[in-house]
Amino acid sequence: MKYINKGDKPTKTGFGEGLAKAGEKHSNLICLGTDITSSVGMNYFSEKFPERFFSLGIAEQNAIGVAAGFALAGKIPVFSTYGVFAAMRVTDQVRVSVCYNNLHVVIGGAHAGISVGPDGATHQALEDIAVMRVLPNMTVLSPCDATQTKVATIAAIEKVKGPVYVRFGREAVPDFTDPNQEFEIGKGQLLKDGNDISIISTGHLTWEALHAAYQLEKEGISARVINIHTIKPIDEHIIVKAARETHAVITAEEHQVNGGFGSAVAEVVVRNFPVPMDFIGMNDSFGESGEPEELMQKYGMTAASVIEKVKKILSL
Amino acid sequence: MQKYNSEKLKAISDNIRIDIIKSLSEAGSGHTGGSLGITDIFTVLYFNVLNHDPGNPEWEDRDRVILSIGHVAPVLYSTLAHAGYFPKEELKTLRKLGSRLQGHPGKEHGLSGIELSAGSLGQGLSVSVGLAISAKMDNKNHRVYSIHGDGELQEGAIWEAAMSAAHYRLDNLTAVIDRNCVQIDGKTSDVMELEPLADKWKSFGWNVIECNGHDHAELIKAFKDAKTFKDKPSVIIAKTIMGKGVKEIEDNYRWHGKAPNKEEAERFIKQILKK
Ligand SMILES: [Mg+2]
């Protein structure tokens, strides 16, 4: 396989590094903490720029409103907490104070996915993509490794004009993308070409998708792998091209299948070039405690589950 | 903008009330009681207290008014029109398709003078806190005025925001509570008791000022006291009467979310002029 893991690294570290880097250039960058500052990677910023970090206690509904106030005043506020809270405890505040006002607030959704592990269902954000992508004006980013999360975070600060949600996880995962990559909002990435099927993935599962594709290659199945780091606005062109050229699509996300990333891809496919599709992700259930790899296996979000689905869809 | 004395403010309040009634009656729906009840507070703010320039609504050093209770949009619109932000003629378009005067304030429709699109209760104070911290960071002298209903104080997020305003010693922030003691389902004391309200704010670290929300001179003094108080945010608990100015609907919570028909509107306007 063409991609090399430079060493496992949590995507939240990429988020923190991105904040620290962007903080040097943007004196109006502000970070808001809600008692889990280090846990979401924001300590990289707060230690470097303590005068631009504001602790708001365990009070997320207030924090997101305060962020809206900062944005109205011309600052670039970053509010980050676990994805379950960032996307769902404060959904109405995000909808009205942030999105309806179209304010440039950067929302960091940490601990995304089931790979949060032992903490169990309450802390595993598996619905945040669906909730965030349905809000008008919102941009949704879901980078695939720590390096990409760093550039995605900087892009969220520098290139997005309105509200933006950046999704990342806690578990150390393979870090394989190019440190010099350009992060283009709304652009999908062709990671591996193929003609028989397209595996379109986001977040942690892109590494699994690549593994699956290279394994399938050995078995004579040519699978295309596309990484979508911007779920909204989604890259329709790369998706339609994939459907047109490979005639089958599988999506992969560490998130509920209902209404999530796969649904976003399906919306593009059915409007433009309907082909058989299947979805890797959580199937309408809560997670549970366990080691990350055990959970990924149990809930079918590994390279092996991708291979299984590919074979199933191709035998149709 | 010119600052008017309390004599002149009374006449301005009457005119703002009349236009609220006219616009609501044209619209056929909307919140009459609350809008009329908070009119004197708006008049004092926009015609005496605020540093603002209707000709330059984006002026960087203007005082900010965050209307958390978006449902009293008619009083905001009528006040802004009277202050010269846009032609009074446009008040007739309230709540109509294509209007800049949305049922609840919506900035994206382009009406000048609106600081925040709002209408979901309990959110405005947090936004005001962000604005106030920001002003302090930038050593700006403008103030932030956050307008709230009393029923709205039942939202928990208000108290999260109250805690944070005291934590950051936001003496550039003044919250105003429209204390009319009623909400949609009835008396606040029946729906969910708010008393002892002043003690609640005090215990959250705020400077509390109580006043008659229909007495222009008292309101002017309350805003002045809030402005000069140091190290704590101030809250003005303004005692008001829902529907103030129109005797037949005063203190009647049934008029919270109802608009007058043509006949009622004419009658209401006469009552305002008679007094
Ligand atoms: Mg009330």
Side-chain angles (χ1 to χ4, degrees), chain A residues 30 51-52 54-56 58-63 65-66 68-70 72-73 75 92-93 96-97 100-101 103 137, chain B residues 66 102 105-109 115-120 123 126-127 129-131 133-134 137-138 157 160-161 164 167-168:
Chain A
I30 304 293
E51 72 290 350
R52 284 192 267 143
F54 294 91
S55 164
L56 289 165
I58 309 170
E60 297 82 8
Q61 296 177 79
N62 180 49
V66 172
F70 272 118
L72 273 180
K75 310 286 186 212
D92 184 43
Q93 278 81 3
V96 179
S97 288
Y100 189 35
N101 283 280
L103 294 172
N137 293 335
Chain B
I66 294 298
Q102 295 289 297
K107 274 173 90 171
E108 69 174 32
H109 298 272
E115 297 285 0
L116 183 76
S117 306
S120 173
Q123 299 190 17
S126 303
V127 177
V129 167
L131 281 167
I133 298 177
S134 210
M137 279 181 82
D138 296 342
E160 294 184 3
S164 67
H167 181 82
Y168 285 104

Side-chain angles (χ1 to χ4, degrees), chain B residues 71 149-152 178-184 188 242 256:
Chain B
H71 61 271
D150 52 1
E152 183 191 19
D178 176 27
R179 184 65 171 126
N180 58 17
C181 298
V182 280
Q183 57 192 113
I184 298 181
T188 53
M242 187 180 267
H256 171 97

Side-chain angles (χ1 to χ4, degrees), chain A residues 194-213:
Chain A
N195 310 314
D196 297 333
I197 190 163
S198 295
I199 308 166
I200 305 181
S201 69
T202 192
H204 292 165
L205 289 195
T206 293
W207 179 255
E208 299 299 318
L210 279 169
H211 263 273

